[in-house]
Amino acid sequence: MKIAVIKYNAGNVQSVLYALERLGADAVLTDDPEEIHAADKVIFPGQGEASSAMAYLKARQLDQVIKEIKQPFLGVCLGLQLLCEHSEENDTECLGIFPVKVKRFIPENSQEFKVPHVGWNELENLADNVLVKDLPDPKFLYYVHSYYAELSEATIATTHYIQDFTAILHRDNYWAIQAHPEKSSTVGEKLLSNFLTI
Amino acid sequence: MLTKRIIPCLDIKDGRTVKGVNFVQLRDAGDPVELAKIYSDEGADELVFLDITATVDKRKTLAELVTKVAKAINIPFTVGGGISTVEDVKVLLAAGADKISINSAAVNNPKIVDEMAKEFGSQCIVVAIDTRTMDGIDFVHTHGGRKPTLLKTQAWAKEVADRGAGEILLTSMDHDGTKSGFANELTAEISSALSIPVIASGGAGSMPHFKDVFTFGRADAALAASIFHFKEIGIPELKSYLIGEGISIRK
C-alpha cells in the first residue's frame, strides 16, 4: 500500500511522514500529479497560512488534482481548512470539497481564551465513522490553530474551545482532521491507523 | 476543554542529556531519545530540548538528534539553545522539530522574531525570556540569567508577542533552582496581558506549585527539569493530583 503525502509550501510535513513510518506504512512526499493519483491513499498535511498555500497549490494545478482524487483522502490541520469553501484567513477561496466556512477564533474574554488554540483538547460528539472507530479514552488530540471550521453536516466530531467547532469532517472519500494526529500520542496514532484501513 | 500542559525540559550537550537523571529503566542515562520516549509514555504533554552546546559544528549533531527524537515520539517538542538565524530554524524544523525557541537572538535583534514568524508561522516560534528582579523591577537577562539587559520583562513579552511569537517561555531566574514555586505573580501579569500562551518555568519543587502556577499564575503550561529527571515527582502522579484539584489536564 502506497501513501502519497502532498508536498507543498506548508510546514510540519516531516512529522506526518515519521508517524506513517512508525505505523509501517509506505509513504512518499510528492507534488507529482501522477504519483498522487497512483497512490492508494493521499494525505494532505500542513501548517501555515491559507492564501499562500492556495496560491502555491493553484500554480502547480494541485488544486485540480486534489478535487479529482477518488482514493481515501485525509486533510490535516491547514489541510482541513483548505478543503473547506472559504477561509477568513486573508479572505481565501479554498478547495470547496466541504461546503463549510473557516473562521477566526474571537474570544469574548481574551484573558480566558488565548488565540491560537494551542494544546491538548478533547474530541466530542463522535459520529459512527470508520476514522474514529475504537479510539482509546480519553480522546485528547494536540491542536495548534487560530482558525476553525464551522459545524456542518459533514462534521463527525467536535471539540470545544470558545465554542464547539469542527474537529473532524467526512464526505465521500474525503476526511479531514483539525488537530495533529501525528503529534497526538496513542489517540492520534489510532486515527491514522484507522485511515490506513479505509 | 483545553488542558494545561506539563513539559519536561532536557538539557542537551553534544547530543547527550547533561543534567544527571535518575531513571532506573534507562539503559543509557545520557540518551535523550530514550528519556524523551519515557516522558512521552508517562503522559508528558510536550518536551523541550535545550541545547547548551556552543560550537557550530556540534549544531549538526543537534539536527541529527532532532530527527531521531521526531522519529521516536508522537508528542510535540520544542528545540532551543543558540538558535539565531532563519537558516538555523529551517534546519531544525526540517529535521522534525515542531517548534523552536529563541532567546538572546531576539534580544540582540528583535526583528528576527518577525522574520521567523513570517517565514515559518507563529505557531512554531517560541520566545524564551529569562527574567530576574532588580530593585523590584523585572528585567530580561541573557547568558543563562547572568547578564542583565535594559529590557523590562513585561514590555519585552508584549513586544515579542506583537512581533509574531507564538508562545512565551518565561523563566524566572530568581526562582530557578530554588524549588520554592513558580513566579506566579509575574507569570499571571504577563499571561493576562497577552493573547498568546505562556509557559512558566523555574522554581517547581512540589505538586502544589504546579496547581498554583495554573491558577494564580494563569500559566498555560508549566516546565520543569530536575524534579522530573530525579523522579522527585512522577508525571502520572502529578497529573492525577492536578485533576483531583480541579485543573484541566490530559490524562
Side-chain angles (χ1 to χ4, degrees):
Chain A
M1 185 170 63
K2 194 91 183 168
I3 318 289
V5 177
I6 298 181
K7 182 178 166 186
Y8 68 120
N9 61 334
N12 196 53
V13 172
Q14 203 56 49
S15 306
V16 173
L17 291 172
Y18 291 150
L20 292 169
E21 202 177 290
R22 284 194 293 271
L23 291 169
D26 179 13
V28 58
L29 184 64
T30 177
D31 58 3
D32 173 20
E34 272 183 41
E35 199 168 16
I36 294 170
H37 278 303
D40 298 295
K41 297 180 203 318
V42 182
I43 296 185
F44 181 40
Q47 211 165 51
E49 190 275 319
S51 69
S52 58
M54 274 308 297
Y56 185 99
L57 293 172
K58 279 184 182 164
R60 286 156 185 80
Q61 281 88 49
L62 286 170
D63 57 331
Q64 281 312 312
V65 174
I66 291 169
K67 288 177 191 175
E68 287 160 7
I69 295 287
K70 296 283 176 278
Q71 307 91 309
F73 186 99
L74 180 68
V76 173
C77 193
L78 180 64
L80 173 142
Q81 301 187 358
L82 296 179
L83 290 175
C84 293
E85 197 170 75
H86 178 270
S87 172
E88 283 185 0
E89 190 173 20
N90 293 315
D91 191 16
T92 304
E93 286 306 317
C94 298
L95 295 159
I97 302 290
F98 296 106
V100 178
K101 291 197 164 39
V102 174
K103 300 195 149 186
R104 189 174 166 86
F105 281 120
I106 311 271
E108 319 111 55
N109 172 356
S110 62
Q111 295 214 345
E112 182 96 8
F113 294 107
K114 308 286 181 78
V115 177
H117 171 224
V118 180
W120 297 81
N121 204 333
E122 217 163 348
L123 282 182
E124 293 169 307
N125 302 310
L126 272 73
D128 181 14
N129 190 287
V130 57
L131 193 72
V132 293
K133 201 168 167 254
D134 299 330
L135 293 185
D137 275 318
K139 299 170 177 59
F140 280 105
L141 295 173
Y142 185 79
Y143 288 86
V144 186
H145 60 130
S146 300
Y147 294 81
Y148 67 93
E150 287 187 304
L151 299 180
S152 78
E153 287 189 357
T155 301
I156 61 163
T158 67
T159 290
H160 189 83
Y161 189 66
I162 303 172
Q163 73 267 317
D164 280 348
F165 67 88
T166 290
I168 308 181
L169 288 166
H170 172 226
R171 203 193 102 183
D172 306 328
N173 59 317
Y174 293 92
W175 282 262
I177 308 181
Q178 178 59 63
H180 287 282
E182 74 281 8
K183 286 286 157 184
S184 296
S185 194
T186 48
V187 181
E189 212 164 82
K190 181 65 181 160
L191 274 168
L192 286 175
S193 70
N194 280 347
F195 177 70
L196 297 181
T197 67
I198 296 170
Chain B
M1 195 174 177
L2 182 63
T3 52
K4 304 287 189 181
R5 288 169 280 155
I6 303 291
I7 309 179
C9 177
L10 287 71
D11 284 349
I12 304 294
K13 193 175 183 197
D14 304 338
R16 310 269 297 165
T17 46
V18 273
K19 275 187 193 159
V21 289
N22 186 17
F23 275 92
V24 281
Q25 65 267 57
L26 274 182
R27 277 170 297 144
D28 174 358
D31 179 5
V33 179
E34 214 181 325
L35 188 55
K37 189 91 180 49
I38 289 174
Y39 282 135
S40 162
D41 292 344
E42 283 189 344
D45 295 305
E46 268 183 65
L47 297 173
V48 168
F49 293 85
L50 189 61
D51 184 45
I52 55 172
T53 315
T55 55
V56 173
D57 59 320
K58 295 285 163 58
R59 311 290 300 170
K60 227 180 103 192
T61 317
L62 179 64
E64 285 163 8
L65 171 66
V66 166
T67 299
K68 280 189 214 150
V69 172
K71 285 186 176 190
I73 67 166
N74 53 14
I75 59 169
F77 67 97
T78 302
V79 179
I83 296 167
S84 56
T85 66
V86 166
E87 186 56 31
D88 290 342
V89 178
K90 188 178 274 178
V91 168
L92 293 170
L93 292 179
D98 297 290
K99 311 175 194 180
I100 62 88
S101 91
I102 53 168
N103 189 334
S104 313
V107 171
N108 297 337
N109 173 21
K111 279 200 188 107
I112 198 76
V113 180
D114 306 62
E115 283 169 35
M116 288 175 179
K118 186 161 176 276
E119 180 79 20
F120 307 106
S122 292
Q123 83 287 336
C124 63
I125 308 300
V126 178
V127 175
I129 301 176
D130 292 343
T131 179
R132 194 186 282 281
T133 308
M134 298 195 302
D135 294 332
I137 301 170
D138 299 299
F139 285 99
V140 176
H141 282 60
T142 56
H143 298 79
R146 293 190 306 275
K147 201 175 150 194
T149 73
L150 295 172
L151 295 166
K152 289 195 179 123
T153 304
Q154 291 88 337
W156 176 238
K158 170 97 175 49
E159 177 174 347
V160 297
D162 290 345
R163 287 181 180 276
E167 286 178 85
I168 303 269
L169 169 54
L170 182 70
T171 302
S172 165
M173 303 311 297
D174 298 312
H175 290 245
D176 201 34
T178 64
K179 299 197 175 172
S180 61
F182 293 91
N184 295 322
E185 228 171 277
L186 179 64
T187 305
E189 193 184 338
I190 290 174
S191 184
S192 306
L194 302 184
S195 68
I196 58 172
V198 174
I199 304 161
S201 154
S206 71
M207 298 201 285
H209 292 156
F210 286 86
K211 178 194 169 192
D212 292 346
V213 81
F214 289 140
T215 51
F216 307 130
R218 310 189 71 120
D220 299 283
L223 178 143
S226 55
I227 54 154
F228 294 137
H229 301 331
F230 291 109
K231 282 252 153 184
E232 287 164 33
I233 297 176
I235 290 171
E237 55 167 330
L238 174 60
K239 287 193 142 188
S240 299
Y241 163 81
L242 290 170
I243 289 168
E245 293 293 318
I247 311 284
S248 172
I249 290 285
R250 174 180 73 112
K251 189 74 175 147

